Amino acid sequence: MTTRIIVVTSGKGGVGKTTTSASFASGLALRGFKTAVIDFDVGLRNLDLIMGCERRVVYDFVNVIQGEANLHQALIKDKHCENLFVLPASQTRDKDALSEEGVEKVLKELEHMGFDYVICDSPAGIEHGAIMALTFADEALIVTNPEVSSIRDSDRILGILQSKSRRAKEGREAVKEHLVVTRYSARRVEEGEMLSYKDVQELLRVPLLGVIPESETVLQASNSGAPVIHTKESEAAEAYQDVVSRFLGEEREMRFVTYEKPGLLKRIFGGA
Amino acid sequence: MPFMAKPIEFKAGTLTAMSAVLREVDNVRLADALQVMLGGMGEFFAGEPTIIDISQAKSLPDRVDWSGLQSLLRRYGLQPVALRGAPEHLHDAARRAGLAVLGDEAAKLKAATTVHPVAAPVAEVMAEPAVGSTGAAPAPADSLPPSVGTMVVDRTIRSGQQIYAKGADLVILGAVSNGAEVIADGSIHCYGPLRGRAIAGAAGNRQARIFTTNFGPELISVAGVFRTFEKGIPAAIAGKPTQAQLRGEDDKAALVLDPLKLD
């Protein structure tokens, strides 16, 4: 199989790109695919923290691009799964250090190393770093919160994907788009305080890959340096598992999108 | 005797031209402004004849670098043919630079009602270029320009994207997202939710209309008459098949919205 390059992007910041990148990459690796996840957020790196490898960063993406280290030296093997490698961003450079030729060279080399998937964790915004993250993508995960500003920014990045990606520029088949709605609260949707995932999908007109419920376990996972997909009995973890399954072509019913009022027993004994 | 074709004939005609309304004649500042406006997109226009209108310029120097100004406009695909709104002392130099100097009649044609940089062309009389004012009446703005066809876009137009169907109708098979802009010199047909800005009749065609299967735009405009929806879209048409067209004369013209029955 040739390497598939997947950008995780959103336009807006703080919607869950890095969380999604970490869990999605881990999920693919857990299914046996050799996967690399690259942090494109040069200057504001976070992925290493969420993956829990921040103390093992010696060389980074920019070092590799500038020839100061080779890819083998910079790739960090994930401590949770066998087939996963992290390429951290540099914290001390700025995003202009990412040259198009440099990024292409690194991606080519990952292909030669036999990676099945390369996940590109995009920075927020629509500037150089975000453009570099999506330039070489075959597929895109559009991470969107159910609120209007996030939706508009996602729409903007979809337009950029249509015009700036290599696939678009070379007139090849368009980048395959997937919608991931994150920080979803079925209760607030029920109460009319939040757009439903159907509204989001209707506005963006991109096939829905999954809905990740708002969950405290996401924050706990981030703080403990283990992608949330590894957390046992967490709705967010299961939702990410579903995302990976659907991405790989399996049918999965949408879960955690309907709100059930807590019953009497649950109110007395407390919910899980 | 067989009819002998004359080697040259003179005929009066009308020509639709762009008006470049300059509020500055400093080429450096204009170059900056064009860069910002058109994002350095060379050849943004496609060789349209252009009238340089300096009637609104704030202050005019004694001399203007006409050839520099012309090459700046050409860089964006505009073809300067004439000058209007210029005081006497600038006329000779402009003529030497190959520009026809139009008189006051032409200058009075229309105050630019620009909603968009490409949306303010004005019908213009150009019978004898390089000879100066013609004094002829302008072409009626209502006359239909010959259609050059239809531009079809098979996808959703996303926020930040802009589509311009020059001299043509525009058909969109998809949505026009909030923050997107679709412009046509003819009519706009949107087979999907219209949520962004739609500007029809951008070259002044008052017969142009806007059609959509799902009405919810931020702004619509026909021939420079525009309408926003700050107080929301009337319930009778919100999210429904709708057409927008211009009714009424000149100053009283208004955009009328009607539900469309699609069966």
Side-chain angles (χ1 to χ4, degrees):
Chain A
M1 129 172 205
T2 56
T3 309
R4 295 291 283 177
I5 299 168
I6 300 151
V7 61
V8 178
T9 187
S10 70
K12 196 173 187 302
V15 297
K17 280 183 298 296
T18 301
T19 298
T20 299
S21 295
S23 281
F24 185 66
S26 300
L28 289 170
L30 289 171
R31 309 282 177 106
F33 295 102
K34 190 174 176 187
T35 306
V37 53
I38 306 178
D39 191 348
F40 275 76
D41 205 349
V42 174
L44 289 167
R45 73 172 208 228
N46 277 165
L47 182 68
D48 53 329
L49 286 171
I50 296 204
M51 304 290 295
C53 63
E54 74 276 13
R55 291 171 192 283
R56 290 190 286 150
V57 176
V58 181
Y59 296 109
D60 58 52
F61 194 17
V62 173
N63 291 140
V64 179
I65 284 179
Q66 299 189 337
E68 295 152 0
N70 67 39
L71 194 49
H72 289 277
Q73 291 173 304
L75 281 175
I76 301 172
K77 198 177 163 309
D78 182 56
K79 60 185 175 190
H80 308 282
C81 24
E82 194 58 27
N83 300 307
L84 183 58
F85 295 83
V86 182
L87 184 53
S90 168
Q91 184 70 348
T92 51
R93 312 292 182 92
D94 64 60
K95 290 184 173 67
D96 295 333
L98 297 176
S99 67
E100 191 164 328
E101 303 76 40
V103 173
E104 186 170 22
K105 197 190 80 181
V106 171
L107 292 172
K108 282 260 158 62
E109 213 174 323
L110 288 169
E111 184 162 5
H112 287 186
M113 290 165 75
F115 277 93
D116 297 307
Y117 291 105
V118 176
I119 313 302
C120 302
D121 181 22
S122 173
I126 54 174
E127 279 83 36
H128 183 70
I131 305 289
M132 283 303 107
L134 63 77
T135 296
F136 300 95
D138 299 305
E139 307 194 36
L141 263 53
I142 310 296
V143 181
T144 307
N145 290 166
E147 47 107 13
V148 285
S149 59
S150 174
I151 292 168
R152 178 174 294 188
D153 291 358
S154 291
D155 197 62
R156 183 88 167 89
I157 209 84
L158 281 160
I160 290 170
L161 206 55
Q162 281 172 4
S163 59
K164 296 266 170 80
S165 65
R166 271 286 168 93
R167 281 177 168 267
K169 283 187 173 169
E170 291 172 359
R172 286 185 285 148
E173 193 187 336
V175 176
K176 193 170 177 193
E177 300 158 351
H178 308 272
L179 177 62
V180 179
V181 178
T182 52
R183 312 196 69 165
Y184 195 76
S185 164
R187 180 184 60 79
R188 295 188 58 199
V189 173
E190 181 78 14
E191 288 166 1
E193 295 171 5
M194 188 182 261
L195 293 169
S196 76
Y197 71 94
K198 286 180 180 154
D199 294 334
V200 179
Q201 201 199 350
E202 216 278 309
L203 284 162
L204 287 174
R205 301 165 75 92
V206 170
L208 182 68
L209 192 60
V211 178
I212 312 298
E214 173 86 77
S215 162
E216 282 176 19
T217 53
V218 172
L219 186 63
Q220 290 159 8
S222 297
N223 289 336
S224 67
V228 70
I229 198 166
H230 297 298
T231 308
K232 296 272 178 289
E233 287 170 21
S234 151
E235 289 190 348
E238 289 182 38
Y240 273 119
Q241 290 286 5
D242 286 356
V243 162
V244 174
S245 299
R246 289 190 202 101
F247 181 82
L248 295 170
E250 297 163 29
E251 296 271 334
R252 284 282 185 284
E253 212 171 306
M254 248 355 126
R255 293 194 281 171
F256 320 116
V257 292
T258 47
Y259 176 64
E260 280 162 36
K261 286 210 169 80
L264 185 64
L265 286 176
K266 203 168 183 183
R267 265 184 282 162
I268 294 169
F269 297 107
Chain B
M1 285 296 284
F3 172 75
M4 292 287 286
K6 283 177 279 186
I8 184 166
E9 270 189 89
F10 293 96
K11 288 183 173 174
T14 60
L15 169 70
T16 303
M18 297 288 292
S19 267
V21 182
L22 308 185
R23 299 196 174 85
E24 300 259 2
V25 282
D26 178 342
N27 289 350
V28 177
R29 298 185 65 163
L30 287 171
D32 286 349
L34 281 167
Q35 173 77 27
V36 171
M37 223 162 150
L38 306 177
M41 215 159 92
E43 307 289 311
F44 182 88
F45 299 97
E48 285 102 326
T50 303
I51 291 150
I52 300 169
D53 183 344
I54 59 169
S55 59
Q56 295 184 37
K58 282 179 295 214
S59 63
L60 286 169
D62 293 339
R63 291 166 53 113
V64 175
D65 176 8
W66 295 115
S67 58
L69 178 58
Q70 290 186 72
S71 59
L72 173 63
L73 294 175
R74 275 194 216 104
R75 210 179 304 156
Y76 288 92
L78 290 168
Q79 178 61 52
V81 292
L83 170 70
R84 80 169 162 219
E88 279 289 335
H89 74 274
L90 294 174
H91 287 187
D92 280 348
R95 288 201 186 96
R96 277 200 300 278
L99 290 169
V101 176
L102 305 182
D104 288 343
E105 300 91 335
K108 276 184 211 139
L109 266 182
K110 230 181 210 178
T113 50
T114 319
V115 269
H116 185 271
V118 301
V122 165
E124 192 62 64
V125 182
M126 295 286 295
E128 293 171 24
V131 186
S133 169
T134 63
D142 277 356
S143 65
L144 274 176
S147 169
V148 297
T150 304
M151 178 175 172
V152 181
V153 180
D154 282 297
R155 58 177 169 82
T156 289
I157 319 293
R158 303 285 181 185
S159 178
Q161 291 183 321
Q162 190 187 58
I163 300 279
Y164 176 31
K166 199 179 120 48
D169 287 351
L170 176 59
V171 174
I172 299 134
L173 301 173
V176 175
S177 294
N178 288 101
E181 189 169 60
V182 290
I183 306 161
D185 287 343
S187 295
I188 294 171
H189 308 251
C190 179
Y191 295 92
L194 175 60
R195 302 190 180 108
R197 298 155 67 98
I199 295 161
N205 178 7
R206 299 168 68 88
Q207 312 296 321
R209 298 188 192 186
I210 297 167
F211 306 90
T212 175
T213 53
N214 183 333
F215 192 82
E218 294 163 343
L219 174 149
I220 53 169
S221 162
V222 173
V225 178
F226 66 89
R227 181 162 169 184
T228 54
F229 299 92
E230 209 175 327
K231 296 201 176 97
I233 290 165
I237 51 170
K240 301 206 175 78
T242 302
Q243 70 162 321
Q245 58 187 311
L246 207 52
R247 291 230 189 94
E249 293 302 312
D250 295 329
D251 290 352
K252 296 198 182 89
L255 279 174
V256 182
L257 306 170
D258 295 305
L260 274 180
K261 206 162 144 41
L262 302 179
D263 274 327

